[in-house]
Amino acid sequence: MNHFHAVCWMDHNEARVFHFDAHDFERTTIHPDKPNRHLHNKRAPEATHGDKHFHEAVARALADAREILLMGPGQAKVEFRKFLDAHARDTAKRIVASEQADHPTDGEIVAHARKHFKAIDRMTPQLT
């Protein structure tokens, strides 16, 4: 299916990418090669560099989306955005917002994204 909108909920242990419209959605789950443990030392290399292969896989999963909402509980979405800015600028340009979200269910993620994009779509024409 080819959906205009996508939402990506991510933390350091997984990314859930949803391509959706008003009626249905497709989910892709991506896990890093080396899942991150809770790091309290922000200067630790693993805390600042992220997982390049993980970020590349998430970027590929979002490549066809025209508008993207990022969600997640911590710094993973910020690190991913920095990765996109450096390595996938076309995808980075399609991110319309980044929001804090603890650990919602799939249904809660998609419902929130639908509501979010419904408000945006009223103000912005969809261009393919």
Side-chain angles (χ1 to χ4, degrees):
M1 286 188 188
N2 190 10
H3 296 110
F4 190 84
H5 296 120
V7 58
C8 175
W9 180 94
M10 67 187 323
D11 63 12
H12 287 103
N13 294 313
E14 76 174 343
R16 289 183 273 163
V17 176
F18 301 86
H19 292 267
F20 66 94
D21 59 25
H23 307 291
D24 64 356
F25 66 87
E26 296 176 11
R27 173 187 164 171
T28 303
T29 303
I30 301 159
H31 295 278
D33 293 334
K34 297 176 184 174
N36 205 350
R37 60 190 185 284
H38 261 317
L39 296 173
H40 297 287
N41 179 359
K42 297 268 185 197
R43 295 177 191 247
E46 307 93 281
T48 57
H49 293 100
D51 182 331
K52 182 180 179 189
H53 298 291
F54 178 54
H55 290 162
E56 289 170 343
V58 176
R60 281 191 303 275
L62 292 167
D64 294 338
R66 304 309 330 147
E67 292 182 342
I68 302 164
L69 171 62
L70 292 181
M71 298 175 67
Q75 289 298 309
K77 64 187 174 300
V78 175
E79 294 168 9
F80 178 61
R81 179 62 189 260
K82 288 179 184 178
F83 171 84
L84 291 177
D85 288 339
H87 302 286
R89 289 188 186 110
D90 289 340
T91 303
K93 290 177 188 177
R94 291 182 265 130
I95 295 174
V96 297
S98 181
E99 297 185 4
Q100 187 73 17
D102 193 22
H103 287 83
T105 65
D106 291 354
E108 290 169 333
I109 293 168
V110 173
H112 178 78
R114 283 181 175 140
K115 182 178 178 182
H116 179 87
F117 283 116
K118 186 174 183 179
I120 288 176
D121 290 347
R122 276 188 242 138
M123 298 180 286
T124 308
Q126 293 185 10
L127 304 172
T128 56

